């Protein structure tokens, strides 16, 4: 299944990009398999969750990025484990790590955000990992939309582990303003969790309406990706999308 467009710049400056969302499970599994999966997807942008957050976390994140032929863009422990990585195709304008309000007894959550330029397009990015608790998750969905609007870019992409399936209150809140790329242009497989027997879709790539979605799904049959690597890399499957960002004068 190699029909997902590759990254390229069109004659008018529009950018076709590949975007990957992946819960890394703190890189506690097979790190080399994880890097092989990411590399095979050939992403321009990676929205990661559960990145290393403790001792030498920057070193661990940089090592994974290097193995995947990428660089760290922002996030990590300073964004509660959400992380952004990118290829050298992205020109970075700014980054900001955001910690969300802490609910006693629950994990701290955060957003890794950035604004980048790729070819003739300027795009805001946000990696997220929403709460396991239903009410907090719905509140965080509203905060995500506020933060995305505050990036003030022609296009925006949010991606991550939503800890909720389509139709849930947080997912519905997000898709009231954003495109669910999998719904717009299905490609590959659908369910993302758990890796051993995926039966639900809780990971997603979402964009503002101006982004053209060319395909989105789990890249189980993409050339270079082995089933064994997907199973040993993490407890989540990755979500890959191809998007077109029209050049903005």
């Amino acid at each position: 299944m190699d029909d997902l467009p590759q990254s390229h710049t069109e004659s008018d400056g529009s950018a076709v990009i590949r975007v990957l969302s992946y819960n890394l499970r703190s890189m506690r599994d097979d790190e080399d398999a994880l890097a092989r999966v990411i590399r095979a997807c050939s992403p321009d942008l990676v929205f990661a969750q559960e990145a290393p957050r403790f001792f030498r976390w920057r070193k661990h994140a940089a090592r994974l990025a290097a193995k995947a032929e990428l660089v760290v863009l922002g996030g990590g422990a300073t964004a509660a484990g959400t992380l952004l990585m990118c290829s050298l195709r992205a020109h970075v304008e700014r980054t900001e790590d955001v910690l969300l309000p802490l609910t006693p007894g629950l994990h701290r959550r955060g957003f890794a955000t950035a604004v980048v330029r790729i070819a003739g397009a300027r795009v805001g990015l946000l990696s997220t990992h929403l709460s396991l608790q239903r009410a907090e998750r719905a509140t965080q969905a509203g905060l995500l939309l506020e933060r995305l609007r505050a990036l003030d870019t022609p296009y925006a992409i949010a991606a991550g582990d939503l800890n909720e399936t389509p139709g849930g209150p947080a997912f519905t809140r997000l898709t009231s303003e954003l495109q669910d790329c999998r719904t717009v242009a299905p490609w590959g497989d659908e369910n993302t969790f758990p890796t051993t027997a995926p039966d639900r879709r809780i990971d997603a790539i979402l964009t503002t309406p101006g982004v053209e979605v060319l395909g989105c799904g789990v890249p189980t049959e993409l050339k270079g990706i082995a089933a064994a690597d997907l199973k040993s890399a993490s407890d989540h499957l990755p979500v890959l999308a191809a998007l077109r960002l029209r050049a903005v004068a």
Side-chain angles (χ1 to χ4, degrees):
M1 187 193 305
D2 295 319
D3 54 339
L4 195 71
Q6 294 288 341
S7 302
H8 64 276
T9 301
E10 299 182 332
S11 58
D12 65 351
S14 297
V16 173
I17 64 173
R18 280 190 170 198
V19 173
L20 187 71
S21 181
Y22 211 162
N23 184 313
L24 309 181
R25 211 170 87 95
S26 299
M27 294 169 56
R28 295 198 303 266
D29 300 295
D30 186 334
E31 184 179 312
D32 289 331
L34 181 64
R36 285 194 295 269
V37 171
I38 296 172
R39 196 166 56 244
C41 290
S42 301
D44 298 288
L45 302 167
V46 177
F47 297 68
Q49 307 83 47
E50 292 193 33
R53 292 185 295 124
F54 301 111
F55 186 63
R56 293 184 176 173
W57 62 269
R58 289 183 177 85
K59 178 180 178 181
H60 297 314
R63 185 178 66 245
L64 175 63
K67 287 183 178 181
E69 300 176 358
L70 300 166
V71 295
V72 172
L73 176 54
T78 48
T82 55
L83 180 75
L84 292 167
M85 296 184 286
C86 66
S87 72
L88 296 181
R89 193 176 179 214
H91 298 268
V92 182
E93 186 175 300
R94 68 178 189 270
T95 66
E96 183 179 3
D97 300 337
V98 179
L99 291 176
L100 300 182
L102 175 63
T103 300
L106 298 179
H107 289 296
R108 170 80 82 175
R109 303 288 174 170
F111 302 144
T113 75
V115 174
V116 302
R117 293 180 181 273
I118 301 178
R122 182 169 173 264
V123 58
L125 315 175
L126 186 153
S127 180
T128 186
H129 188 182
L130 299 185
S131 175
L132 289 167
Q133 203 273 337
R134 181 182 175 95
E136 184 179 50
R137 194 162 59 234
T139 298
Q140 290 169 352
L143 294 173
L144 185 157
L145 293 172
E146 290 178 9
R147 181 61 57 168
L148 217 56
R149 288 191 291 268
L151 293 176
D152 192 26
T153 51
Y155 306 108
I157 305 166
D161 179 353
L162 304 185
N163 271 318
E164 185 174 284
T165 56
F171 212 122
T172 300
R173 177 72 181 90
L174 293 171
T175 55
S176 69
E177 296 189 24
L178 303 174
Q179 300 182 100
D180 174 10
C181 293
R182 170 68 192 182
T183 299
V184 174
W187 170 90
D189 287 351
E190 180 173 7
N191 293 330
T192 64
F193 184 83
T195 301
T196 50
D199 61 4
R200 71 207 83 161
R201 179 164 75 95
I202 62 173
D203 303 85
I205 297 173
L206 310 165
T207 74
T208 48
V211 176
E212 183 181 355
V213 185
L214 305 177
C216 179
V218 177
T220 51
E221 298 182 20
L222 193 70
K223 183 178 179 181
I225 291 185
D229 280 349
L230 287 171
K231 289 181 178 179
S232 60
S234 174
D235 60 342
H236 286 246
L237 293 170
V239 182
L240 178 64
L243 310 173
R244 178 180 283 114
L245 309 177
R246 298 287 182 185
V248 178

